[in-house]
């Protein structure tokens, strides 16, 4: 079995690699989305607190 055959996936390469790509994108989204949301929330809370002190 050559490396070319491995990447060809028996004729199903497009579907296999597309599914890998989509899975990777979803996993990365699940990793980074909460971090971004937390930063936004902390920024909003700091702004509200600043307004309340004025």
């Amino acid at each position: 079995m050559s490396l070319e055959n491995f990447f060809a996936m028996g004729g199903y390469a497009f579907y296999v690699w597309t599914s890998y790509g989509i899975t990777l994108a979803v996993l990365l989204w699940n990793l980074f989305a909460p971090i971004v949301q937390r930063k936004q929330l902390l920024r909003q809370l700091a702004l509200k607190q600043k307004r309340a002190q004025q």
Side-chain angles (χ1 to χ4, degrees), residues 18-50:
T18 302
S19 65
Y20 282 160
I22 291 170
T23 301
L24 179 62
V26 169
L27 289 174
L28 290 174
W29 176 263
N30 283 333
L31 179 67
F32 290 112
I35 295 169
V36 172
Q37 289 175 348
R38 182 178 185 270
K39 286 182 181 181
Q40 288 176 347
L41 178 62
L42 290 175
R43 214 175 291 127
Q44 289 174 355
L45 290 174
L47 185 60
K48 282 184 181 183
Q49 186 178 13
K50 186 177 178 181

Side-chain angles (χ1 to χ4, degrees), residues 8-22:
M9 299 282 176
Y12 297 102
F14 176 77
Y15 304 106
V16 172
W17 293 114
T18 302
S19 65
Y20 282 160
I22 291 170

